[in-house]
């Protein structure tokens, strides 16, 4: 990190990326807003939104960060049977499989406590879990592709992969969630 | 551009003292890698999942505001994501400064260096919120989708930008400085703190902004 702590230097270094991030996230917001009717009709689903985005983005960023490090340490090869690759992918599925049902149950419980649980517990947990497992597939595919692309383009994966994967998982988190909602509710 | 990208080197969502690959040694089997990855990520993910349910509860109670201010929901992911980046990087910067001895962890009027870091983060956070409102309005207007007047979206975004900036700056400084004085690694604190409080503060301040815009009659 640079030694320069002037307002100009910090803003100049971060602002362009924030603009790119905002434009990408606005696309996710647009998709979300397109389903406003169903989300406001069922507050349990609206309650799930921050959780889906947070957990999806974090899953992607943890995986990307680990793959980048394994790549730097030279322990990663882009082989479908590679230990680091398969092990991290398996952990991503296991994390998604444990955390998303918990987020679903937590969101349902919170709405139930507030007295407006319009959907059943099973439906909300199902929506969260199905979105989570699909998102794990997406996170693995994107993190692997981005790390591989960084390797081919001779970019430092730490610089590129984490922000790209985190943002993409945020946006696709919304898209996948709404697809599942559309198919279920 | 590469330098600019370098600023994001420290993933704001993860504590930087968290060495993602410290156990990824050559001769590990798939199972060992998977168990290690699971154990390492579980804590931070549970923390962010729990916090996100709180922000979800606030968002779930916003049906009325979301209906009165069309286009507000479009801004939600962008405002939350930029919050995490801006104040996560403020925390990472302060942590680095503490490690380098450039920053004094005293809770008083900050010195020039810390003041610049805070002002830069606030400026980034507020201006990017305004940008999100303008861009979100332009996109919805361009696509012929229902959208509140630009002034209403700007009021929401700027009120949320300023209030959440003040709140998150306070939270980041207090946890990083107090943690450091108690012998904790500030790098490991900044990430989880922003991850857990960022969304709640972000959504609560958007709700405040929406109520102010509705009260002021700009919608």
């Amino acid at each position: 990190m640079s030694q320069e702590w002037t307002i100009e230097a910090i803003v100049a270094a971060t602002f362009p990326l924030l603009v790119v991030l905002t434009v990408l996230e606005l696309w996710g917001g647009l998709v979300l807003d397109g389903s406003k009717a169903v989300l406001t009709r069922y507050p349990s689903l609206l309650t799930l939104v921050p959780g889906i985005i947070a957990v999806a983005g974090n899953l992607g960023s943890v995986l990307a960060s680990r793959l980048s490090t394994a790549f730097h340490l030279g322990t990663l090869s882009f082989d479908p049977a590679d230990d680091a690759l398969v092990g991290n992918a398996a952990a991503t599925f296991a994390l998604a499989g444990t955390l998303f049902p918990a987020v679903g149950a937590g969101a349902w419980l919170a709405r139930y406590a507030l007295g407006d649980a319009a959907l059943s517990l099973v439906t909300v947990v199902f929506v969260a879990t199905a979105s989570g497992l699909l998102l794990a597939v997406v996170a693995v595919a994107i993190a692997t592709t981005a790390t591989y692309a960084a390797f081919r383009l001779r970019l430092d994966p730490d610089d590129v992969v984490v922000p790209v994967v985190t943002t993409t998982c945020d946006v696709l988190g919304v898209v996948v969630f709404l697809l599942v909602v559309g198919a279920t509710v | 551009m590469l330098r600019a990208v370098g600023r994001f080197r420290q993933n704001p969502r993860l504590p930087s003292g968290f060495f993602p690959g410290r156990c990824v040694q050559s001769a590990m089997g798939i199972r060992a890698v998977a168990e290690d990855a699971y154990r390492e990520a579980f804590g931070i993910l549970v923390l962010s999942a729990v916090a996100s349910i709180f922000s979800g509860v606030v968002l779930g109670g916003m049906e009325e505001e979301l209906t009165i201010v069309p286009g507000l929901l479009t801004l939600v992911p962008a405002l939350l994501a930029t919050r995490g980046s801006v104040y996560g990087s403020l925390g990472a910067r302060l942590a680095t400064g503490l490690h380098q001895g450039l920053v004094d962890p005293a809770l008083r009027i900050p010195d020039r260096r810390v003041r610049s870091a805070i002002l830069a983060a606030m400026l980034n956070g507020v201006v990017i919120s305004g940008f999100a409102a303008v861009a979100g309005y332009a996109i919805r207007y361009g696509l012929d989708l229902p959208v509140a007047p630009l002034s209403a979206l700007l009021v929401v975004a700027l009120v949320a930008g300023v209030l959440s900036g003040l709140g998150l700056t306070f939270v980041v400084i207090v946890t990083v400085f107090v943690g450091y004085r108690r012998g904790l690694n500030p790098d490991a604190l900044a990430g989880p703190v922003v991850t857990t409080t960022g969304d709640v503060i972000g959504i609560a301040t958007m709700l405040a902004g929406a109520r102010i815009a509705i009260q002021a009659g700009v919608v």
Side-chain angles (χ1 to χ4, degrees), chain A residues 63 67 78 85 139-149 165:
Chain A
L63 178 65
L67 287 184
F78 294 98
L85 203 59
V140 170
I142 291 174
T144 316
T145 315
T147 311
Y148 184 68
V165 173

Side-chain angles (χ1 to χ4, degrees), chain A residues 58-124:
Chain A
N58 277 317
L59 264 188
S61 87
V62 169
L63 178 65
S65 178
R66 290 185 61 97
L67 287 184
S68 300
T69 304
F71 170 82
H72 275 302
L73 295 175
T75 55
L76 177 71
S77 64
F78 294 98
D79 172 347
D82 183 71
D83 283 2
L85 203 59
V86 179
N88 280 304
T92 304
F93 280 100
L95 285 165
T98 34
L99 288 161
F100 281 95
V103 168
W108 183 87
L109 261 178
R111 297 280 30 134
Y112 181 77
L114 293 168
D116 54 6
L119 294 170
S120 72
L121 173 63
V122 175
T123 310
V124 178

